[in-house]
């Protein structure tokens, strides 16, 4: 469930929640967290807390996401005053601001060149290196972005964010094997990340929706996702979808000769798959009913997710109102 909480980074939250966050800008900007008195008197009257600058940074991201450039500029100036323009994090945030305001590829190229200059002076600035990759993606230079991310994960093999980004780029190119490998690296770093399990499952499913080994692996990861988060709608959706695809294939392959790939991935028993499908169906029905009785936008699920779940249930005659 996404709450309008400025201590939560807004990059992965719904647009409506990002808008709610950005609307808090006037309140946050109405008072200065630091005192204008000279040091050390300023320490006595400062309202600065450990959360103060996390709130400012997340408000900056929300403002940029919702197009409130004026508020974003004010927040950026306040952060720059506090930490200095040469601060590694501030260089990246200033670049992010410039990216958001870029009107065309020419202006994005200018931002890219600024990043190149920073990295020439300080190759260890990981934040700027990641922003450089983001610009490459925006410019449509996917191959260059993959190369840059490959270098990044070679030097920082525990960077789960970079591995996930690399997986996304490989998937966009249809390179399913590489995409799956990258997300498996994410799970080595974050084994309990249910969304990563669901994404690995999705990639297995997309790689071959008629392959018993691929669907078996997808089933395992979707099952693990909902085990880690028992209210994860997308996990239950995937679990039901994959179960329905896998059951007839298991019946067809029973007694037939198995190939080398199938020997590496033992298929589940049909009764186990059927049980998982029933569990997913029951949970999806429960979620849809609860959301139907809740005011729109307050359930924690997007309307698109609810509609997709309802449609999947309707396919086998389980209509949920």
């Amino acid at each position: 469930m996404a709450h309008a909480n400025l201590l939560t980074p807004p990059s992965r939250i719904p647009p409506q929640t990002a808008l709610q966050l950005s609307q808090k800008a006037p309140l946050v900007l109405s008072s200065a967290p630091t005192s204008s008195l000279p040091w050390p008197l300023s320490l006595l009257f400062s309202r600065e807390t450990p959360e103060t600058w996390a709130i400012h940074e997340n408000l900056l991201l929300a403002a940029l996401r919702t197009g409130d450039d004026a508020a974003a500029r004010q927040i950026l100036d306040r952060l720059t005053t506090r930490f200095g323009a040469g601060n590694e994090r501030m260089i990246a945030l200033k670049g992010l601001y410039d990216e958001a305001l870029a009107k065309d590829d020419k202006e994005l190229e200018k931002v890219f060149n600024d990043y190149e200059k920073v990295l020439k002076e300080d190759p260890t600035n990981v934040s700027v290196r990641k922003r450089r990759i983001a610009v490459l993606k925006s410019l449509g230079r996917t191959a260059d972005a993959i190369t840059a991310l490959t270098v990044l994960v070679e030097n920082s093999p525990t960077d789960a964010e970079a591995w996930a980004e690399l997986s996304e780029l490989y998937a966009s190119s249809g390179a399913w094997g590489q995409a799956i490998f990258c997300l498996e690296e994410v799970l080595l770093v974050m084994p309990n990340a249910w969304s990563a399990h669901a994404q690995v499952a999705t990639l297995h499913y997309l790689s071959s929706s008629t392959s018993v080994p691929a669907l078996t692996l997808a089933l395992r990861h979707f099952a693990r996702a909902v085990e880690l988060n028992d209210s994860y709608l997308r996990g239950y959706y995937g679990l039901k979808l994959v179960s329905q695809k896998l059951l007839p294939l298991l019946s067809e392959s029973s007694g037939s000769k198995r190939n080398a790939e199938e020997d590496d991935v033992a298929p589940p028993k049909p009764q186990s798959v059927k049980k998982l499908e029933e569990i997913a169906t029951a949970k999806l029905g429960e979620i849809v009913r609860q959301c139907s009785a809740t005011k729109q936008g307050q359930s924690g699920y997007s309307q698109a997710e609810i509609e997709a779940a309802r449609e999947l249930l309707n396919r086998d005659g389980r209509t949920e109102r």
Side-chain angles (χ1 to χ4, degrees):
M1 183 179 295
H3 297 282
N5 181 353
L6 280 170
L7 288 174
T8 303
S11 59
R12 300 275 183 187
I13 60 175
Q16 183 180 359
T17 307
L19 180 60
Q20 292 173 1
L21 293 178
S22 66
Q23 289 171 342
K24 296 182 180 183
L27 178 63
V28 173
L29 291 169
S30 64
S31 60
T34 54
S35 172
S36 60
L37 293 172
W39 188 89
L41 291 176
S42 60
L43 299 177
L44 299 175
F45 298 95
S46 175
R47 291 184 290 274
E48 185 176 339
T49 68
E51 294 82 18
T52 297
W53 303 112
I55 289 173
H56 277 70
E57 182 172 332
N58 289 330
L59 185 57
L60 169 64
L61 298 176
L64 288 175
R65 188 174 174 189
T66 55
D68 191 350
D69 300 335
R73 181 76 248 186
Q74 287 181 267
I75 300 162
L76 181 64
D77 288 344
R78 182 176 283 187
L79 286 164
T80 303
T81 299
R82 173 63 178 80
F83 297 102
N87 176 274
E88 179 177 314
R89 185 65 180 159
M90 286 311 306
I91 293 171
L93 289 174
K94 170 61 166 59
L96 180 62
Y97 174 83
D98 291 337
E99 288 176 47
L101 267 64
K103 297 181 178 63
D104 51 37
D105 285 356
K106 185 177 180 181
E107 292 188 7
L108 272 179
E109 288 282 3
K110 183 180 182 303
V111 177
F112 178 81
N113 291 332
D114 290 340
Y115 287 151
E116 293 281 76
K117 292 175 185 176
V118 171
L119 291 172
K120 188 174 182 181
E121 296 178 4
D122 180 13
T124 64
N125 191 324
V126 176
S127 296
V128 169
R129 193 169 290 281
K130 289 184 176 182
R131 291 315 319 159
R132 175 183 177 274
I133 292 168
V135 174
L136 286 172
K137 287 178 60 181
S138 297
L139 291 170
R141 295 167 57 180
T142 303
D144 290 335
I146 288 175
T147 299
L149 273 168
T150 302
V151 172
L152 182 59
V153 296
E154 284 176 353
N155 291 301
S156 183
T158 58
D159 191 329
E161 181 185 41
W163 279 113
E165 190 80 11
L166 185 54
S167 174
E168 184 180 316
L169 287 175
Y170 275 130
S172 69
S173 305
W176 305 116
Q178 292 94 323
I180 290 168
F181 173 83
C182 292
L183 274 180
E184 287 173 343
E185 291 293 323
V186 172
L187 290 174
L188 287 177
V189 181
M190 305 169 63
N192 294 329
W194 60 81
S195 59
H197 278 285
Q199 187 59 26
V200 173
T202 301
L203 291 175
H204 278 297
Y205 177 80
L206 292 174
S207 68
S208 178
S209 60
T210 58
S211 161
V212 171
L215 289 174
T216 298
L217 291 170
L219 187 78
R220 290 178 187 175
H221 282 288
F222 275 129
R224 180 58 177 155
V226 298
E227 180 184 10
L228 291 166
N229 182 353
D230 66 0
S231 61
Y232 189 38
L233 187 152
R234 293 189 180 188
Y236 287 110
Y237 182 96
L239 193 62
K240 179 173 175 60
L241 186 67
V242 170
S243 297
Q244 290 178 329
K245 288 273 189 179
L246 188 55
L247 277 169
L249 293 176
L250 289 174
S251 300
E252 293 171 10
S253 63
S254 61
S256 61
K257 187 177 181 180
R258 294 160 55 84
N259 59 38
E261 183 186 12
E262 291 172 327
D263 285 335
D264 290 337
V265 182
K269 296 179 179 178
Q271 55 267 38
S272 298
V273 178
K274 184 61 179 175
K275 181 63 177 176
L276 287 172
E277 195 268 339
E278 291 172 355
I279 291 171
T281 300
K283 190 66 178 183
L284 285 173
E286 177 187 326
I287 292 172
V288 169
R289 286 191 298 272
Q290 288 176 349
C291 291
S292 298
T294 305
K295 188 176 179 181
Q296 187 171 336
Q298 295 183 354
S299 66
Y301 304 106
S302 71
Q303 191 60 31
E305 288 178 319
I306 299 302
E307 290 301 325
R310 183 179 284 113
E311 180 185 344
L312 183 62
L313 289 168
N314 289 347
R315 289 180 197 171
D316 56 6
R318 292 179 172 86
T319 304
E320 300 292 339
R321 301 291 182 188

